[in-house]
Amino acid sequence: MALTSELGKQIKLKEVEGTLLQSATVDNWSQIQSFEAKPDDLLICTYPKAGTTWIQEIVDMIEQNGDVEKCQRTIIQHRHPFIEWARPPQPSETGFHHVAQVGLELLSSSNPPASTSQSAKITDLLPPSFWENNCKFLYVARNAKDCMVSYYHFQRMNHMLPDPGTWEEYFETFINGKVVWGSWFDHVKGWWEMKDRHQILFLFYEDIKRDPKHEIRKVMQFMGKNLDETVLDKIVQETSFEKMKENPMTNRSTVSKSIMDQSISSFMRKGTVGDWKNHFTVAQNERFDEIYRKKMEGTSINFCMEL
Ligand code: PPS
């Protein structure tokens, strides 16, 4: 399938098990699937725009015992490489010796906590070695409406993704799961159902927003770490939206404008709960709620829609 980006560039997408993925990911599928996870690996799993960058920074801060300078060693995409990103090597700008080996090579050479946005039938799409090794998974879920809004603006500014069209058009695309990484409903439902059968810490974006220290402490305990209260306070401060928006290691300002045009929309856009209210019409909201009820029927998951 070829779609057009905001710049008019053709974006090639392919499907795996009914889930749309970037064609580079699908072309590298067998290598991704044969990735050898180690038993102490931690995989961060999210649906796009659910707070991936936020939790990545939190995990790194915990791992570095709150040492801000260490977390400045390189951009977040290199500290937590995405396993599904099959990209050619990138030139090193920071001198960090792994930067030139982005992607699978970087993962297997150093095994930092990795991330994935893979979705749908998660047991089929994740490299099986993660399950076989009983690895830990950190899942962050964000309410569907805010995810949709965030993803819409992301597709407007990210020229590696299809042009989202109008908000009305995107609304249909999103509820039908015709976005890269597939349906929000399948993703969230799938991980929610798996959470008690594996080592999965299931977090909510809205909870982190409401009480960051409480949620960061949970992550710390899940990682088997024990940090002082003062360090936890520092991590809360350093991972606030305001700090991360100004931080070149997290705000994607190092990404070329031809890939992400932040004059269209910032990567760190609003970072709030409930921005959907500024986008959804009353009719769209009613329709969405009805679809949500049907698609999520039988699950016990509960989302906070505003703070
Ligand atoms: S991506 O492209 O899928 O990796 O994007 P992801 O990082 O998952 O999600 C981006 C949204 O998360 C918001 N964000 C934050 N919110 C609160 N606090 C912090 N520290 C934070 N960091 C990132 C970011 O602003 C995007 O949401 P929106 O609603 O678009 O602002």
Side-chain angles (χ1 to χ4, degrees):
M1 172 190 278
L3 294 163
T4 312
S5 83
E6 188 88 359
L7 287 181
K9 216 181 327 167
Q10 290 277 295
I11 304 292
K12 284 209 187 93
L13 301 178
K14 292 184 177 170
E15 279 193 15
V16 175
E17 316 247 354
T19 300
L20 280 177
L21 294 169
Q22 281 165 316
S23 61
T25 301
V26 180
D27 294 344
N28 204 27
W29 198 246
S30 58
Q31 210 196 337
I32 294 169
Q33 286 297 307
S34 61
F35 177 75
E36 285 292 334
K38 299 194 184 91
D40 57 354
D41 281 348
L42 169 69
L43 189 67
I44 295 171
C45 306
T46 51
Y47 186 76
K49 315 320 288 179
T52 323
T53 317
W54 196 8
I55 196 70
Q56 286 173 330
E57 188 67 2
I58 289 171
V59 166
D60 197 34
M61 283 290 285
I62 293 172
E63 199 156 71
Q64 307 304 333
N65 304 314
D67 187 327
V68 178
E69 260 177 45
K70 282 193 183 154
C71 294
Q72 289 283 318
R73 68 194 180 283
T74 185
I75 55 173
I76 195 80
Q77 307 93 292
H78 293 166
R79 284 181 277 146
H80 297 273
F82 281 87
I83 54 173
E84 65 269 41
W85 270 9
R87 295 196 303 158
Q90 308 286 298
S92 169
E93 287 169 359
T94 60
F96 177 60
H97 75 286
H98 286 308
V99 170
Q101 309 167 273
V102 176
L104 287 171
E105 279 176 62
L106 171 56
L107 260 172
S108 43
S109 65
S110 65
N111 268 19
S115 306
T116 182
S117 295
Q118 288 185 7
S119 72
K121 299 192 190 84
I122 48 174
T123 41
D124 296 345
L125 291 188
L126 268 189
S129 63
F130 282 102
W131 304 115
E132 288 158 9
N133 283 293
N134 191 28
C135 292
K136 284 185 180 172
F137 301 94
L138 224 171
Y139 188 83
V140 184
R142 185 181 193 184
N143 81 72
K145 293 177 189 175
D146 281 334
C147 259
M148 188 197 295
V149 168
S150 182
Y151 210 169
Y152 168 69
H153 290 292
F154 188 58
Q155 287 196 218
R156 288 173 55 233
M157 60 81 90
N158 186 332
H159 300 309
M160 298 296 114
L161 292 174
D163 179 349
T166 64
W167 167 249
E168 289 71 26
E169 286 163 348
Y170 192 71
F171 185 88
E172 301 303 322
T173 309
F174 187 92
I175 56 176
N176 290 314
K178 293 296 172 203
V179 291
V180 179
W181 291 294
S183 153
W184 178 96
F185 304 96
D186 292 343
H187 200 287
V188 171
K189 231 171 23 181
W191 282 94
W192 183 252
E193 280 161 13
M194 295 289 283
K195 76 176 173 19
D196 299 325
R197 280 182 272 145
H198 294 272
Q199 294 199 80
I200 299 173
L201 179 64
F202 199 104
L203 300 173
F204 291 90
Y205 177 102
E206 295 78 14
D207 288 345
I208 315 177
K209 193 81 200 171
R210 182 173 38 215
D211 191 349
K213 192 169 176 187
H214 185 260
E215 299 306 298
I216 291 171
R217 193 192 305 278
K218 275 200 226 164
V219 177
M220 175 194 79
Q221 286 163 348
F222 186 66
M223 289 169 67
K225 300 271 287 185
N226 189 11
L227 303 173
D228 288 349
E229 291 300 304
T230 49
V231 176
L232 278 180
D233 288 333
K234 189 168 165 201
I235 296 176
V236 170
Q237 235 179 44
E238 293 298 326
T239 58
S240 71
F241 177 76
E242 292 69 26
K243 279 271 186 170
M244 284 181 60
K245 189 176 171 69
E246 295 309 313
N247 180 352
M249 295 301 147
T250 53
N251 66 13
R252 301 293 201 276
S253 56
T254 58
V255 176
S256 131
K257 197 175 175 181
S258 63
I259 296 177
M260 287 187 190
D261 188 346
Q262 302 216 35
S263 67
I264 298 176
S265 180
S266 298
F267 180 79
M268 294 284 170
R269 197 182 56 90
K270 281 197 179 170
T272 55
V273 178
D275 189 36
W276 61 270
K277 289 198 221 151
N278 300 316
H279 291 74
F280 280 60
T281 63
V282 172
Q284 279 176 335
N285 194 35
E286 281 170 6
R287 180 142 167 264
F288 190 92
D289 286 347
E290 183 59 21
I291 290 163
Y292 184 94
R293 209 180 42 76
K294 284 193 190 133
K295 286 196 189 268
M296 300 300 277
E297 201 171 4
T299 56
S300 54
I301 197 164
N302 234 323
F303 280 92
C304 157
M305 304 304 294
E306 57 191 304
L307 286 183

